[in-house]
Amino acid sequence: MIPELGHFALALACALALFQAVVPVWGAHVGASRAMAAAPALAVGQLIAVGAAFGALLWCFAVNDTTVSNVVANSHSAKPLLYKLSGAWGNHEGSMVLWVLILALCGGAVAGFGRNLPTSLQARVIGVLGFIALGFLAFIIFTSNPFDRVWPAAVDGNGLNPILQDPGLAFHPPLLYLGYVGYAVTFAFAVAALLEGRVDAAWGRWVRPWALAAWSFLTLGIALGSWWAYYELGWGGFWFWDPVENASLLPWLAGAALLHSAIVVEKREALKTWTVLLAILAFAMSLLGTFLVRSGVLNSVHSFASDPSRGVFILALLMVYVGGAFALFAWRAGRLSPIGIFAPVSREGALVLNNLLLCSILAVVLVGTLYPMFADLILGVKISVGPPFFNTATAPLAAPLIAAMAVGPMLSWKRAGLWGALQRLWWAMLGAFGVWLVAQIVLGAPVWPAIGFGAAAWLLLGAVADVTDRVGVFRTSARNAFNRARNLPRAAWGAALGHAGLGVTIAGLAGMGLATDALVSLRPGETHRLAGYEWRLDEVRDVVGPNWSARRATVTISRDGAVVTVLEPERRWFPVARMNTTEAAIHTNVFQDLYAVMGDERDGAAVLRLHRNPMAPWIWIGALVMALGGGLSLSDRRTRVSAPAPKGATSPA
């Protein structure tokens, strides 16, 4: 009965999405106030219906209802409850329900928190969100129904993919989808603005919180996925330029550009066309990621589905949504004439440069990700594009981007002097040069890691310089500077934290360039020396988990005769899925990771992969700092509260 109720709730949500897509937009077009006023209620109704469907799906997984084919394929009675519940979205069908649930939550948030919006704009935004939800609900109902029954009922399920039975992967998809789907709201605002023919400072103020929230959640989602790959897959790395990894990076890059561009619209009413275009592009990249994961065109540990018919459906949705938005942009963009005029050397000019570089990196990653698929499809040639291409092609674009990130906040709006900004950054430049010199000359680091450490110091010190310049350190008394710092807007602190967080991440990336590793075969009692440490294999024993068994090695690490830590890597066997996984053991002191992975056993010896990864934790600490900066900016009331509409801007241009 519960699966049927869930299926009915999806059908009801689809019907409500249809009304939500048509009635408010029609009402805004003809000026029918009652039709526009229906938009919030329809959005909330759709949220309740999708929430009921998702609740029914969770119930089916929690009780291990083996009459539901989705449960049979992705669950098992022996799984811990956390993985039973995460199994609800750890598959194609369930993940799409989660996707639509988050979209409905966004629609409900616009309905609840958008009461300061002009009625016609709110109606159009909610209508566009309803149109997006309609397509994906139809996709679920007709191609990916999570409540399909199986008869006779199975004795038990087949279990969730073992590599997904991990806390990191339990929370990674929701965070990632909050980022992906958050850009649906900025997309809806862009389409609504094109329909109305007006973009002003108030519009920029309304868009920026959504862009900021989506970017922050996507940052956390990408970081959590990277961390999972680091400790779960046992490769000792954190980013492999996998096409599905790239699919999450693309909207992050577009979203970062959108976030900065929206600031210019809000402050100066300039870059309107840029901002609308980036809002469309960010959501287009999110849909592209959805297509790549579910179309079957990729073979990846991250892929959900391999049914070409589903891929065609999603491709059709992508063409309708994105193609329609770009056609509307081409038709209406001429009305979005900029008001603010600025000099090339100004805060606005720095943000334009930021956008150009971010979009250039996006283009490189997009071409490198898609070209092998097109070459195979059109030319019949199989090629591989991997880290050497991406690292070499993006580095020349990332270098000026990093250089400009510390300078931009020092420039004035409208017109500025570059020399004056550099004078205020002299000590940051000196500090970055000193860090590079120490890394290159004193520590003997290779060229690129040394440059990376210098770039990280530049961003960190540049963020400090931004704050100290704002509060007047060295220009006023300490008491006055403290009072200014206390009253500095949280958005300013958040921006500085965001830039500093990227600096911390770059330091971690540079540190990984100094990593050392070894693949060794040891018998109990034997020792291997790596990176100044003695790694001794003490024993290998059997252990049993809730739905797996494992061989666990005990590795003692010592230095100068003193024990540093004991690691216990495992090689697990999941009998239901008939699959092995590796569980890396990691000891960290924040400045480095000691990392061990257990492989096969041969002739009484265990194969171990040993790593020393300097600064590795900084990669994810930096991501947390970036997301914290976004959250701090979002907590600033001036970021969330709508700017007043300019006089005379109550009707479309």
Side-chain angles (χ1 to χ4, degrees):
M1 185 64 180
I2 297 296
E4 282 70 31
L5 289 175
H7 194 189
F8 173 77
L10 285 177
L12 177 60
C14 191
L16 289 170
L18 175 61
F19 283 103
Q20 181 182 333
V22 174
V23 174
V25 177
W26 172 82
H29 180 68
V30 301
S33 58
R34 294 181 65 181
M36 289 189 286
L42 288 169
V44 172
Q46 187 206 140
L47 172 59
I48 293 172
V50 177
F54 190 71
L57 186 62
L58 288 177
W59 174 264
C60 292
F61 273 85
V63 301
N64 197 43
D65 186 348
T66 55
T67 66
V68 177
S69 60
N70 193 22
V71 175
V72 174
N74 299 286
S75 192
H76 191 274
S77 59
K79 280 198 315 183
L81 181 60
L82 172 63
Y83 302 135
K84 286 183 179 180
L85 295 178
S86 64
W89 59 78
N91 59 86
H92 168 74
E93 292 82 1
S95 70
M96 290 308 305
V97 179
L98 177 63
W99 204 99
V100 176
L101 174 65
I102 295 174
L103 181 61
L105 282 169
C106 290
V110 173
F113 299 109
R115 286 170 289 186
N116 291 330
L117 292 168
T119 304
S120 61
L121 180 62
Q122 185 190 38
R124 286 189 169 102
V125 170
I126 292 177
V128 174
L129 291 174
F131 184 55
I132 297 171
L134 175 64
F136 280 95
L137 284 166
F139 172 73
I140 293 171
I141 291 171
F142 292 111
T143 72
S144 309
N145 181 12
F147 298 106
D148 279 341
R149 292 283 197 173
V150 58
W151 189 259
V155 176
D156 209 337
N158 298 327
L160 181 66
N161 185 338
I163 65 173
L164 302 182
Q165 295 185 38
D166 181 85
L169 258 289
F171 301 106
H172 166 65
L175 287 173
L176 206 61
Y177 291 174
L178 283 167
Y180 278 168
V181 181
Y183 289 123
V185 182
T186 59
F187 173 83
F189 270 99
V191 172
L194 291 171
L195 291 173
E196 291 199 353
R198 183 180 73 243
V199 173
D200 52 25
W203 182 88
R205 179 66 64 89
W206 292 319
V207 166
R208 192 154 69 97
W210 289 102
L212 186 59
W215 181 85
S216 300
F217 280 121
L218 191 54
T219 300
L220 289 174
I222 292 173
L224 189 57
S226 170
W227 184 49
W228 168 81
Y230 177 70
Y231 72 80
E232 176 67 23
L233 298 183
W235 299 340
F238 57 91
W239 189 266
F240 308 98
W241 294 106
D242 180 281
V244 179
E245 291 176 336
N246 295 349
S248 66
L249 181 62
L250 293 171
W252 187 88
L253 292 168
L258 169 63
L259 180 59
H260 290 84
S261 191
I263 295 173
V264 182
V265 174
E266 178 189 342
K267 299 289 186 183
R268 301 284 303 145
E269 293 204 32
L271 302 187
K272 297 178 181 180
T273 305
W274 250 109
T275 307
V276 171
L277 182 62
L278 287 170
I280 296 172
L281 184 64
F283 185 57
M285 293 300 100
S286 296
L287 289 181
L288 178 65
T290 303
F291 168 73
L292 291 176
V293 172
R294 292 169 172 82
S295 63
V297 300
L298 296 177
N299 182 20
S300 167
V301 296
H302 308 277
S303 297
F304 271 121
S306 58
D307 186 349
S309 64
R310 293 172 175 175
V312 171
F313 200 119
I314 296 177
L315 185 61
L317 290 178
L318 191 153
M319 294 174 65
V320 169
Y321 295 146
V322 179
F326 278 124
L328 183 61
F329 177 81
W331 177 42
R332 304 282 280 180
R335 294 174 178 262
L336 308 180
S337 56
I339 295 176
I341 306 299
F342 55 88
V345 180
S346 61
R347 180 80 64 87
E348 297 94 329
L351 291 172
V352 170
L353 177 63
N354 167 84
N355 287 357
L356 288 172
L357 292 171
L358 282 171
C359 290
S360 298
I361 295 173
L362 185 153
V364 169
V365 177
L366 181 64
V367 170
T369 302
L370 296 184
Y371 181 72
M373 289 183 286
F374 282 107
D376 187 17
L377 179 65
I378 299 173
L379 304 177
V381 178
K382 293 189 178 296
I383 62 174
S384 176
V385 177
F389 166 79
F390 289 107
N391 294 336
T392 304
T394 57
L397 297 169
L401 178 64
I402 293 169
M405 283 180 65
V407 179
M410 293 293 183
L411 298 174
S412 303
W413 293 102
K414 193 173 182 179
R415 185 178 292 106
L418 183 59
W419 178 245
L422 293 177
Q423 283 182 314
R424 285 177 285 167
L425 284 167
W426 68 267
W427 58 273
M429 288 187 283
L430 186 62
F433 179 77
V435 169
W436 169 79
L437 196 64
V438 168
Q440 183 81 69
I441 306 300
V442 178
L443 301 180
V447 174
W448 287 113
I451 293 174
F453 286 126
W458 169 247
L459 284 178
L460 285 165
L461 295 175
V464 174
D466 178 27
V467 173
T468 56
D469 185 69
R470 286 175 182 269
V471 303
V473 175
F474 307 125
R475 297 198 309 269
T476 185
S477 66
R479 181 183 182 86
N480 202 17
F482 176 77
N483 289 333
R484 287 185 181 183
R486 189 175 58 183
N487 296 320
L488 195 66
R490 286 197 293 271
W493 285 105
L497 272 179
H499 287 187
L502 182 59
V504 174
T505 292
I506 291 174
L509 299 177
M512 285 294 285
L514 305 176
T516 55
D517 63 90
L519 183 65
V520 298
S521 178
L522 299 178
R523 288 181 168 81
E526 293 183 339
T527 300
H528 181 80
R529 185 171 183 80
L530 174 69
Y533 293 90
E534 300 289 338
W535 306 64
R536 185 183 71 243
L537 176 63
D538 294 329
E539 63 172 347
V540 179
R541 66 186 188 278
D542 293 318
V543 294
V544 178
N547 61 332
W548 48 264
S549 59
R551 292 284 288 169
R552 177 180 293 171
T554 301
V555 180
T556 299
I557 304 175
S558 57
R559 186 167 193 169
D560 298 328
V563 174
V564 175
T565 188
V566 176
L567 300 181
E568 293 189 326
E570 297 177 356
R571 185 169 178 82
R572 291 181 179 176
W573 167 252
F574 290 79
V576 174
R578 303 192 63 79
M579 181 176 174
N580 281 312
T581 66
T582 57
E583 296 293 321
I586 304 172
H587 169 76
T588 184
N589 63 359
V590 180
F591 292 98
Q592 71 171 4
D593 284 349
L594 300 176
Y595 179 109
V597 181
M598 181 180 176
D600 294 327
E601 294 178 77
R602 300 171 184 172
D603 302 325
V607 177
L608 298 172
R609 181 179 285 110
L610 312 176
H611 300 258
R612 175 183 173 266
N613 296 332
M615 309 284 288
W618 288 40
I619 297 172
W620 302 287
I621 293 173
L624 289 175
V625 173
M626 283 189 275
L628 177 62
L632 190 61
S633 295
L634 200 59
S635 70
D636 192 331
R637 188 173 183 273
R638 283 168 288 191
T639 301
R640 303 191 313 273
V641 176
S642 315
K647 292 181 179 180
T650 55
S651 59

